[in-house]
Amino acid sequence: MLREWTELVCRELGVDPATVDRDALLDLTKEVAHGVTRPAAPLTAYVLGLAQGAGSAPPDAVERLTALAQEWERKAAETTGDR
């Protein structure tokens, strides 16, 4: 179902489905939702899409944002004493 939905959305928006790394994006939003806050996940994905469309996103944008979310979670745990 997810593959079909992705293909439908891509077709609707004129995006080549082969350019969408679904698993990497899902991993990114999972890390953001759990490491930062749930509402930040779709917002992050949207901003990433804007950057991609504008040509300003670096090639490793997904990996960099994933690392930022993981670091955010680590720092939050240190601040609250959760380890």
Side-chain angles (χ1 to χ4, degrees), residues 33-83:
H34 294 287
V36 182
T37 184
R38 271 180 218 248
L43 179 62
T44 300
Y46 178 75
V47 173
L48 173 61
L50 290 175
Q52 292 282 42
S56 63
D60 63 343
V62 172
E63 293 84 4
R64 289 170 63 174
L65 293 175
T66 300
L68 283 174
Q70 291 168 339
E71 180 68 11
W72 184 283
E73 181 177 29
R74 186 188 64 73
K75 285 182 179 178
E78 288 176 359
T79 302
T80 62
D82 296 338
R83 294 182 198 231

Side-chain angles (χ1 to χ4, degrees), residues 8-50:
L8 175 64
V9 170
C10 285
R11 191 169 46 249
E12 186 69 24
L13 298 176
V15 174
D16 178 2
T19 64
V20 177
D21 188 342
R22 184 188 69 209
D23 293 337
L25 288 171
L26 291 174
D27 286 343
L28 167 62
T29 56
K30 176 189 73 170
E31 291 295 335
V32 172
H34 294 287
V36 182
T37 184
R38 271 180 218 248
L43 179 62
T44 300
Y46 178 75
V47 173
L48 173 61
L50 290 175

